[in-house]
């Protein structure tokens, strides 16, 4: 599983522990999602291509660099929404295309209800955002959609995964790097990640 990156940064592990706590209320939960995402995006963009950029300092001309790739953010509704702002803060030039997918509670299959991708895939890198990779049905469907659309380079950013989900996504899409804060123990009978954090959408938006 060469393409799976789990952050071992102490601040990530500290914040992830707070995020998991059942007492963590939605306001604090959203804050922690934002903060952990900042660390993950820092690591996930370490291989971005740069291009030359000339600027003038107060003293001299300087041959610097700027991001040389067109980046599309693809948050999966709802829970991926909380990961958008921290990426926009770091990389203000990204474009955001939402994909609406939810898991059918009986079949656990992803149901698509929103897709606002433009006609042309004029982007160099797509970053899928979703805090939870459980069965990976949603993430696999999102990658399928992006590849059919024409995306050439895709990465998945999540907070917590189950080993089952990591396996399924890497088998279906071995070319998609997966950036995570943790891989947990297992999925329960309802396909919730254990120990996990519960329902990431409900905990962000107070709908549990
Ligand atoms: C959650 C989560 C993922 C999906 C993960 O969304 O945000 O999108 O489940 O599960 P999977 O890997 O088994 O597909 P959910 O369906 O609860 O929708 P929501 O974000 O609107 O609450
Ligand atoms: N979706 C969540 O929000 N949490 C899980 O544990 C599994 C799917």
């Amino acid at each position: 599983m060469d393409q799976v990156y789990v952050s071992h940064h102490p601040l990530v592990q500290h914040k992830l522990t707070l995020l998991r706590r059942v007492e963590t209320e939605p306001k604090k939960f959203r804050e922690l999602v934002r903060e952990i995402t900042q660390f993950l995006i820092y690591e996930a963009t370490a291989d971005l291509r740069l291009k030359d950029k000339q600027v003038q300092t107060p003293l001299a001309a300087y041959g610097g660099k700027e991001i040389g790739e067109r980046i599309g953010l693809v948050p999966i509704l709802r829970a991926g929404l909380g990961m958008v702002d921290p990426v926009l803060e770091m990389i203000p030039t990204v474009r955001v295309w939402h994909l609406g997918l939810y898991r059918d509670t009986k079949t656990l299959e992803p149901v698509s209800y929103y897709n606002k991708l433009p006609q042309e895939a004029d982007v160099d890198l797509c970053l899928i955002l979703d805090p939870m990779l459980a069965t990976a049905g949603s993430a696999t469907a999102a990658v399928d959609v992006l590849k059919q659309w024409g995306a050439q380079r895709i990465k998945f950013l999540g907070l917590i995964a189950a080993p089952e989900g990591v396996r399924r996504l890497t088998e279906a899409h071995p070319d998609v790097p997966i950036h995570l804060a943790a891989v947990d123990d297992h999925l329960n009978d309802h396909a919730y990640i254990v120990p996990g954090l519960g329902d990431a959408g409900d905990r962000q938006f107070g709908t549990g």
Side-chain angles (χ1 to χ4, degrees), residues 97-147:
W97 297 301
H98 301 86
L99 284 185
L101 291 170
Y102 71 86
R103 281 199 320 183
D104 182 280
T105 47
K106 290 207 178 67
T107 65
L108 299 178
E109 287 305 312
V111 181
S112 167
Y113 62 93
Y114 189 80
N115 177 341
K116 252 318 193 176
L117 290 170
Q119 197 116 31
E120 199 192 334
D122 60 341
V123 66
D124 301 307
L125 172 66
C126 282
L127 297 170
I128 299 175
L129 306 178
D130 192 333
M132 308 308 273
L133 186 66
T135 65
S138 309
T140 305
V143 177
D144 288 341
V145 166
L146 291 178
K147 285 188 174 174

Side-chain angles (χ1 to χ4, degrees), residues 103 132 134 191-193 198-200:
R103 281 199 320 183
M132 308 308 273
Y192 271 79
I193 300 171
D199 187 302

Side-chain angles (χ1 to χ4, degrees), residues 22-70:
V22 69
E23 299 88 2
T24 301
E25 78 285 5
K27 182 171 187 293
K28 182 68 183 170
F29 192 93
R30 291 192 297 271
E31 193 178 300
L32 289 163
V33 168
R34 203 164 52 241
E35 291 172 350
I36 298 168
T37 303
Q38 282 178 336
F39 288 106
L40 296 183
I41 193 68
Y42 178 78
E43 293 175 352
T45 51
D47 62 350
L48 280 187
R49 282 194 300 274
L50 293 170
K51 60 183 183 192
D52 294 335
K53 167 110 175 150
Q54 284 292 326
V55 294
Q56 184 72 34
T57 80
L59 302 179
Y62 176 74
K65 301 285 180 194
E66 67 178 3
I67 303 291
E69 301 200 61
R70 299 163 302 171

